[in-house]
Amino acid sequence: MGGRADLFMMAIIGILIIIGIISLLMRWYQKPIIDRSLNIPFNDYIPEHPAVDFLQSKGFEVMGGRIKIPLYFEVDHEDYFSRLFIDYVVTDEEGAVYLVKTAKKRLPLEWTGSSLRDRLLPYFLLYPDCAGVLYMDLNEREIRHIYFEWDEEEWNGYDS
């Protein structure tokens, strides 16, 4: 009788292990593709905020909350520290991933090529796999889609 009990317990343990493995595989499979394929950090904590509601009303799914990207520079053996912030990471209906920057009153974005370069180029260079940057202005209730591509102009440093 003891052999049957051992066999029964081993069968139950085996079934539980198989269920656990299947559960882990299903959870991994159902995890958003952006978590698996893009090298973008995510902050799983998304506090309730009117910005989240506004993004959702425009058809975006908020995948991550505010992210701080620490930067370190060394100049002539002197250390300098700074950081970049991404307000949200979102996806659209097609699954494209966007970084979201929120408009700030104290630091408005000028809509010129040089201003866009200075303020947003670091995000495109850090995360080239993202589909673009969304610049969200809650006061104006608008979202602007910003995309980056290299210009076709000669850029080798020689005058033509």
Side-chain angles (χ1 to χ4, degrees), residues 121-138:
L121 184 61
Y123 301 104
F124 289 109
L125 295 177
L126 281 170
Y127 306 109
D129 294 332
C130 74
V133 172
L134 301 179
Y135 190 78
M136 177 176 54
D137 189 336
L138 282 175

mmCIF file of all heavy atoms in Angstrom, residues 121-138:
data_model
loop_
_atom_site.group_PDB
_atom_site.id
_atom_site.type_symbol
_atom_site.label_atom_id
_atom_site.label_comp_id
_atom_site.label_asym_id
_atom_site.label_seq_id
_atom_site.Cartn_x
_atom_site.Cartn_y
_atom_site.Cartn_z
ATOM 1 N N LEU A 121 16.415 64.539 -29.133
ATOM 2 C CA LEU A 121 17.333 63.609 -29.788
ATOM 3 C C LEU A 121 17.918 62.563 -28.842
ATOM 4 O O LEU A 121 18.055 61.396 -29.230
ATOM 5 C CB LEU A 121 18.450 64.363 -30.508
ATOM 6 C CG LEU A 121 19.419 63.499 -31.302
ATOM 7 C CD1 LEU A 121 18.693 62.745 -32.402
ATOM 8 C CD2 LEU A 121 20.539 64.346 -31.883
ATOM 9 N N PRO A 122 18.257 62.912 -27.596
ATOM 10 C CA PRO A 122 18.793 61.868 -26.700
ATOM 11 C C PRO A 122 17.876 60.660 -26.561
ATOM 12 O O PRO A 122 18.338 59.527 -26.469
ATOM 13 C CB PRO A 122 18.961 62.585 -25.360
ATOM 14 C CG PRO A 122 19.143 64.015 -25.720
ATOM 15 C CD PRO A 122 18.286 64.232 -26.938
ATOM 16 N N TYR A 123 16.568 60.866 -26.574
ATOM 17 C CA TYR A 123 15.630 59.750 -26.432
ATOM 18 C C TYR A 123 15.672 58.845 -27.656
ATOM 19 O O TYR A 123 15.630 57.627 -27.535
ATOM 20 C CB TYR A 123 14.212 60.277 -26.192
ATOM 21 C CG TYR A 123 14.138 61.125 -24.952
ATOM 22 C CD1 TYR A 123 14.066 62.509 -25.035
ATOM 23 C CD2 TYR A 123 14.176 60.535 -23.696
ATOM 24 C CE1 TYR A 123 14.032 63.290 -23.895
ATOM 25 C CE2 TYR A 123 14.136 61.311 -22.543
ATOM 26 C CZ TYR A 123 14.067 62.689 -22.655
ATOM 27 O OH TYR A 123 14.038 63.459 -21.531
ATOM 28 N N PHE A 124 15.758 59.446 -28.843
ATOM 29 C CA PHE A 124 15.831 58.647 -30.059
ATOM 30 C C PHE A 124 17.152 57.890 -30.150
ATOM 31 O O PHE A 124 17.203 56.778 -30.664
ATOM 32 C CB PHE A 124 15.664 59.533 -31.296
ATOM 33 C CG PHE A 124 14.274 60.062 -31.470
ATOM 34 C CD1 PHE A 124 13.993 61.394 -31.263
ATOM 35 C CD2 PHE A 124 13.239 59.211 -31.841
ATOM 36 C CE1 PHE A 124 12.705 61.886 -31.431
ATOM 37 C CE2 PHE A 124 11.951 59.692 -32.003
ATOM 38 C CZ PHE A 124 11.679 61.027 -31.799
ATOM 39 N N LEU A 125 18.222 58.496 -29.645
ATOM 40 C CA LEU A 125 19.514 57.817 -29.691
ATOM 41 C C LEU A 125 19.609 56.711 -28.640
ATOM 42 O O LEU A 125 20.210 55.666 -28.885
ATOM 43 C CB LEU A 125 20.648 58.831 -29.503
ATOM 44 C CG LEU A 125 20.782 59.866 -30.620
ATOM 45 C CD1 LEU A 125 21.889 60.861 -30.292
ATOM 46 C CD2 LEU A 125 21.028 59.207 -31.962
ATOM 47 N N LEU A 126 19.024 56.924 -27.469
ATOM 48 C CA LEU A 126 19.024 55.896 -26.428
ATOM 49 C C LEU A 126 18.117 54.718 -26.774
ATOM 50 O O LEU A 126 18.433 53.568 -26.472
ATOM 51 C CB LEU A 126 18.572 56.486 -25.090
ATOM 52 C CG LEU A 126 19.596 57.278 -24.305
ATOM 53 C CD1 LEU A 126 18.932 57.994 -23.140
ATOM 54 C CD2 LEU A 126 20.700 56.375 -23.801
ATOM 55 N N TYR A 127 16.981 55.004 -27.394
ATOM 56 C CA TYR A 127 15.987 53.979 -27.679
ATOM 57 C C TYR A 127 15.569 54.047 -29.149
ATOM 58 O O TYR A 127 14.456 54.453 -29.477
ATOM 59 C CB TYR A 127 14.777 54.141 -26.752
ATOM 60 C CG TYR A 127 15.191 54.163 -25.311
ATOM 61 C CD1 TYR A 127 15.127 55.325 -24.550
ATOM 62 C CD2 TYR A 127 15.720 53.020 -24.717
ATOM 63 C CE1 TYR A 127 15.548 55.338 -23.236
ATOM 64 C CE2 TYR A 127 16.148 53.027 -23.400
ATOM 65 C CZ TYR A 127 16.054 54.186 -22.673
ATOM 66 O OH TYR A 127 16.483 54.205 -21.377
ATOM 67 N N PRO A 128 16.466 53.648 -30.054
ATOM 68 C CA PRO A 128 16.163 53.760 -31.483
ATOM 69 C C PRO A 128 15.019 52.853 -31.930
ATOM 70 O O PRO A 128 14.450 53.074 -33.000
ATOM 71 C CB PRO A 128 17.476 53.363 -32.160
ATOM 72 C CG PRO A 128 18.209 52.549 -31.162
ATOM 73 C CD PRO A 128 17.794 53.071 -29.812
ATOM 74 N N ASP A 129 14.652 51.853 -31.143
ATOM 75 C CA ASP A 129 13.566 50.952 -31.525
ATOM 76 C C ASP A 129 12.181 51.536 -31.248
ATOM 77 O O ASP A 129 11.185 50.958 -31.690
ATOM 78 C CB ASP A 129 13.693 49.621 -30.781
ATOM 79 C CG ASP A 129 14.935 48.856 -31.196
ATOM 80 O OD1 ASP A 129 15.373 49.041 -32.343
ATOM 81 O OD2 ASP A 129 15.468 48.090 -30.379
ATOM 82 N N CYS A 130 12.112 52.657 -30.529
ATOM 83 C CA CYS A 130 10.797 53.237 -30.258
ATOM 84 C C CYS A 130 10.251 53.852 -31.554
ATOM 85 O O CYS A 130 11.002 54.266 -32.428
ATOM 86 C CB CYS A 130 10.852 54.256 -29.133
ATOM 87 S SG CYS A 130 11.600 55.827 -29.548
ATOM 88 N N ALA A 131 8.937 53.892 -31.654
ATOM 89 C CA ALA A 131 8.295 54.425 -32.858
ATOM 90 C C ALA A 131 8.341 55.948 -32.902
ATOM 91 O O ALA A 131 8.140 56.534 -33.952
ATOM 92 C CB ALA A 131 6.849 53.944 -32.929
ATOM 93 N N GLY A 132 8.590 56.581 -31.777
ATOM 94 C CA GLY A 132 8.644 58.034 -31.726
ATOM 95 C C GLY A 132 8.432 58.535 -30.311
ATOM 96 O O GLY A 132 8.323 57.754 -29.362
ATOM 97 N N VAL A 133 8.377 59.849 -30.210
ATOM 98 C CA VAL A 133 8.112 60.500 -28.931
ATOM 99 C C VAL A 133 6.773 61.210 -29.052
ATOM 100 O O VAL A 133 6.508 61.877 -30.060
ATOM 101 C CB VAL A 133 9.227 61.510 -28.563
ATOM 102 C CG1 VAL A 133 8.853 62.311 -27.334
ATOM 103 C CG2 VAL A 133 10.549 60.781 -28.339
ATOM 104 N N LEU A 134 5.946 61.047 -28.048
ATOM 105 C CA LEU A 134 4.691 61.791 -27.992
ATOM 106 C C LEU A 134 4.899 62.955 -27.032
ATOM 107 O O LEU A 134 5.317 62.753 -25.894
ATOM 108 C CB LEU A 134 3.555 60.904 -27.481
ATOM 109 C CG LEU A 134 3.249 59.646 -28.286
ATOM 110 C CD1 LEU A 134 2.115 58.876 -27.631
ATOM 111 C CD2 LEU A 134 2.909 59.991 -29.712
ATOM 112 N N TYR A 135 4.632 64.157 -27.510
ATOM 113 C CA TYR A 135 4.736 65.343 -26.661
ATOM 114 C C TYR A 135 3.315 65.716 -26.279
ATOM 115 O O TYR A 135 2.511 66.133 -27.119
ATOM 116 C CB TYR A 135 5.440 66.478 -27.408
ATOM 117 C CG TYR A 135 5.782 67.635 -26.523
ATOM 118 C CD1 TYR A 135 6.884 67.588 -25.676
ATOM 119 C CD2 TYR A 135 5.006 68.786 -26.522
ATOM 120 C CE1 TYR A 135 7.204 68.649 -24.855
ATOM 121 C CE2 TYR A 135 5.318 69.853 -25.709
ATOM 122 C CZ TYR A 135 6.411 69.784 -24.884
ATOM 123 O OH TYR A 135 6.723 70.841 -24.064
ATOM 124 N N MET A 136 3.004 65.554 -25.002
ATOM 125 C CA MET A 136 1.641 65.726 -24.518
ATOM 126 C C MET A 136 1.505 67.030 -23.752
ATOM 127 O O MET A 136 2.241 67.278 -22.805
ATOM 128 C CB MET A 136 1.283 64.540 -23.618
ATOM 129 C CG MET A 136 -0.082 64.624 -22.999
ATOM 130 S SD MET A 136 -0.514 63.164 -22.026
ATOM 131 C CE MET A 136 0.846 63.044 -20.895
ATOM 132 N N ASP A 137 0.565 67.849 -24.187
ATOM 133 C CA ASP A 137 0.258 69.097 -23.502
ATOM 134 C C ASP A 137 -1.153 68.971 -22.930
ATOM 135 O O ASP A 137 -2.139 69.036 -23.675
ATOM 136 C CB ASP A 137 0.350 70.276 -24.472
ATOM 137 C CG ASP A 137 0.258 71.618 -23.775
ATOM 138 O OD1 ASP A 137 -0.315 71.680 -22.659
ATOM 139 O OD2 ASP A 137 0.753 72.602 -24.344
ATOM 140 N N LEU A 138 -1.230 68.772 -21.613
ATOM 141 C CA LEU A 138 -2.538 68.582 -20.976
ATOM 142 C C LEU A 138 -3.378 69.854 -20.985
ATOM 143 O O LEU A 138 -4.597 69.785 -21.082
ATOM 144 C CB LEU A 138 -2.360 68.089 -19.545
ATOM 145 C CG LEU A 138 -2.030 66.613 -19.398
ATOM 146 C CD1 LEU A 138 -1.749 66.260 -17.950
ATOM 147 C CD2 LEU A 138 -3.144 65.752 -19.948
#
